[in-house]
Amino acid sequence: MDSFSVKDISCPVCCEIFRAPVLLSCSHSFCKECLQQFWLTKTTRECPVCWRRSSRDDPPCNLVLKNLCESFLKKERNEELCSLHGEILKLFCLEDKQPVCVVCRDSQKHLNHTFRPISEVVSSHKEELKSLQEKLKHREKIKEECVKIFQHIQCQSERTERQINLEFEKLHQFLRDEEEIALTALREEKERKNQMMQEKFEEINRHISALSHTITDLEKMMNANQVLFLKNFPDAMERVQSFRSDPQLASGALIDVAHYLGNLPFRAWKKMQDVVQNTPVILDPNTAYPGLLLSDDLTSLVCSTNSQALPNNPERFDEHSCVLGSEGFNSGTHCWDVDVKESSSWGLGVTTASNQRKGYDFFDRGVWSVQHRLFEESGFPVEQQLERVRVQLDFDKGTVSFSDPVSNTKLYTFTTTFTETVFPFFYSFSHLKIL
């Protein structure tokens, strides 16, 4: 295709590359449309170049020329030309990182440069492109996880808000009940004190009435007949002898305000301690294996056959049926009891904060645990069926001890040196509850 010019495959009428070329008997070719337009202006059908009359009204298609033009156009579309020399860009300069033509290769600008065929460079870049495509796929997956996390955040927020409302409603109801108890006691004392004062009031009225009548009778008698007054006076005084001592106000007649208001919030709080529970370890739902269902108060778990649609966040277990405690420990002593009587197989212990939670390598390092009917690598085996297991962590001494609090027997003790924060972990295929 380099052996001819564009002029050789251009129509003599429109001077463009042939479109649907037709061949006249004089061997000249034209675009079919160009020839038809030319003939419309003539009375005879003659060649626009040599003026020889055509023997046919519909000259045949020049297939060879048509294929040649299409091949040229196709190559022209695929192969860009050098802006300096008009040649096809076939080489790639490794120093300048740009395509060049064969003339560029021999120019002063590219003296002592290294060149490679463009096809070779493209092949080497295909691997880089594949790597980019893999990165794109990975980022698309991360994007999908971000969407899942965003949706899960909304669900978490709504569920947590409902649970907070429910828990505080219980506390509000407790305080309302306590308020009603206190107010009822106050009202009852008020009624008792009012009744007592009413009885005292009636007693005083009786004294006043008796004295008043006696005084009135004596005054009338004295004014009417002094002799009669003197005769009756001793009897009248004897009748009122019982009223000579004034009635006394009883002590404790007032409301015992201090009894009701003294340390009222503190007494309510102390009483509240009898109805609320404190669990030493709370489960972290963001670490729970999707097959584990946690209770609303995050103190127990049940293993389900159906996995939940949860985001695969970095903190979550994806292979082992595990969950961590919500709080890590980096000093001091800590203890918690776990109800295992309804669990056919379980594992309990502590693990480092940095331990890998993805895949099957969780038990390879940074785990101190005991297990019942799990695989050997998951911890020290406990053969007997227990009701409870007590886990005691002494971070500073580097010990993790396990015991049966029901029979007060030791199960196993690990001794190590902790170098980072550790978290309680729980492994179950059925049911566990922190007491």
Side-chain angles (χ1 to χ4, degrees), residues 199-420:
E199 293 173 357
K200 183 61 67 176
F201 186 75
E202 292 174 355
E203 179 187 357
I204 293 174
N205 276 341
R206 288 194 301 272
H207 282 223
I208 292 173
S209 178
L211 288 173
S212 179
H213 283 99
T214 300
I215 292 171
T216 301
D217 291 343
L218 290 174
E219 285 177 345
K220 289 179 180 180
M221 193 180 300
M222 182 178 62
N223 293 329
N225 189 330
Q226 293 184 349
V227 175
L228 183 62
F229 167 75
L230 292 175
K231 288 181 177 180
N232 292 325
F233 185 77
D235 294 335
M237 292 302 293
E238 187 177 350
R239 287 196 302 269
V240 297
Q241 188 67 33
S242 60
F243 299 119
R244 284 188 175 181
S245 59
D246 293 333
Q248 299 296 317
L249 293 176
S251 62
L254 299 180
I255 297 293
D256 188 359
V257 176
H259 171 73
Y260 298 102
L261 298 184
N263 292 321
L264 179 60
F266 177 78
R267 287 186 287 112
W269 172 73
K270 287 288 288 183
K271 194 171 182 180
M272 188 181 292
Q273 287 183 311
D274 297 332
V275 297
V276 297
Q277 294 180 341
N278 177 50
T279 307
V281 173
I282 298 299
L283 302 177
D284 183 358
N286 294 337
T287 66
Y289 176 71
L292 292 179
L293 304 179
L294 307 188
S295 61
D296 290 336
D297 62 357
L298 304 178
T299 62
S300 65
L301 61 88
V302 176
C303 189
S304 172
T305 55
N306 298 321
S307 293
Q308 304 168 86
L310 299 176
N312 190 24
N313 50 300
E315 303 87 353
R316 190 178 306 284
F317 287 92
D318 63 351
E319 295 296 343
H320 292 294
S321 185
C322 293
V323 61
L324 298 186
S326 61
E327 180 184 0
F329 306 121
N330 55 19
S331 64
T333 59
H334 309 273
C335 178
W336 57 95
D337 288 1
V338 184
D339 187 331
V340 298
K341 64 177 177 292
E342 296 184 25
S343 181
S344 57
S345 57
W346 49 264
L348 303 171
V350 298
T351 183
T352 56
S354 62
N355 194 6
Q356 177 61 253
R357 301 170 198 174
K358 304 298 184 185
Y360 292 98
D361 300 334
F362 174 69
F363 290 98
D364 289 354
R365 65 191 68 84
V367 175
W368 299 267
S369 64
V370 296
Q371 53 87 11
H372 177 68
R373 294 182 179 177
L374 291 179
F375 53 95
E376 182 179 352
E377 293 80 4
S378 62
F380 179 81
V382 175
E383 301 297 336
Q384 61 269 42
Q385 181 68 44
L386 303 176
E387 291 187 11
R388 297 182 184 181
V389 174
R390 177 167 295 166
V391 184
Q392 291 178 294
L393 166 68
D394 191 326
F395 188 94
D396 302 320
K397 290 184 178 179
T399 61
V400 186
S401 300
F402 301 87
S403 61
D404 175 6
V406 177
S407 62
N408 196 27
T409 57
K410 294 183 179 180
L411 299 176
Y412 195 76
T413 297
F414 291 94
T415 301
T416 184
T417 300
F418 296 116
T419 58
E420 61 175 299

Side-chain angles (χ1 to χ4, degrees), residues 2-200:
D2 294 336
S3 61
F4 62 85
S5 66
V6 174
K7 184 178 179 181
D8 295 331
I9 55 173
S10 298
C11 173
V13 177
C14 66
C15 297
E16 299 288 342
I17 295 176
F18 285 109
R19 298 186 301 276
V22 293
L23 179 65
L24 297 183
S25 56
C26 61
S27 299
H28 289 124
S29 295
F30 306 92
C31 296
K32 182 176 181 180
E33 185 178 351
C34 293
L35 183 62
Q36 295 296 335
Q37 292 294 330
F38 179 78
W39 280 354
L40 288 175
T41 63
K42 301 294 182 180
T43 57
T44 59
R45 303 190 184 283
E46 52 191 27
C47 173
V49 175
C50 65
W51 306 105
R52 180 177 173 181
R53 182 176 293 181
S54 174
S55 60
R56 299 181 59 173
D57 292 340
D58 54 343
C61 175
N62 190 338
L63 290 176
V64 176
L65 184 58
K66 178 175 180 291
N67 292 336
L68 190 63
C69 291
E70 288 178 352
S71 297
F72 178 82
L73 291 173
K74 182 178 180 181
K75 185 173 182 179
E76 189 179 52
R77 285 192 297 267
N78 294 335
E79 296 179 342
E80 296 187 19
L81 302 179
C82 177
S83 60
L84 296 177
H85 309 107
E87 296 291 332
I88 296 174
L89 300 172
K90 293 184 176 181
L91 302 173
F92 187 82
C93 177
L94 299 182
E95 279 74 18
D96 294 337
K97 305 296 182 184
Q98 64 181 13
V100 295
C101 67
V102 291
V103 179
C104 292
R105 179 190 60 189
D106 300 329
S107 66
Q108 180 68 29
K109 180 181 177 180
H110 294 278
L111 186 65
N112 296 326
H113 285 190
T114 304
F115 301 90
R116 292 287 183 273
I118 283 182
S119 59
E120 288 185 11
V121 179
V122 169
S123 296
S124 66
H125 287 340
K126 281 183 179 180
E127 294 302 319
E128 297 179 28
L129 180 60
K130 287 182 180 179
S131 175
L132 290 177
Q133 290 171 340
E134 291 299 322
K135 287 183 178 180
L136 176 61
K137 291 180 181 178
H138 182 62
R139 280 158 177 74
E140 290 291 342
K141 289 182 179 179
I142 295 176
K143 179 182 176 181
E144 291 177 4
E145 288 300 324
C146 287
V147 172
K148 290 181 181 178
I149 289 176
F150 177 78
Q151 295 171 343
H152 192 63
I153 288 173
Q154 309 310 310
C155 295
Q156 278 186 313
S157 175
E158 293 172 3
R159 288 200 305 267
T160 305
E161 182 175 345
R162 287 195 300 269
Q163 193 63 25
I164 288 174
N165 291 335
L166 179 62
E167 293 300 325
F168 271 97
E169 177 55 30
K170 293 178 182 177
L171 298 179
H172 293 160
Q173 187 59 49
F174 169 81
L175 292 176
R176 285 193 292 267
D177 293 343
E178 288 301 303
E179 178 185 16
E180 186 59 32
I181 291 172
L183 291 175
T184 299
L186 174 62
R187 295 187 192 104
E188 290 175 352
E189 182 174 358
K190 174 187 173 183
E191 290 298 322
R192 291 196 306 273
K193 297 299 174 67
N194 281 342
Q195 181 66 28
M196 182 178 68
M197 291 309 300
Q198 182 65 31
E199 293 173 357
K200 183 61 67 176

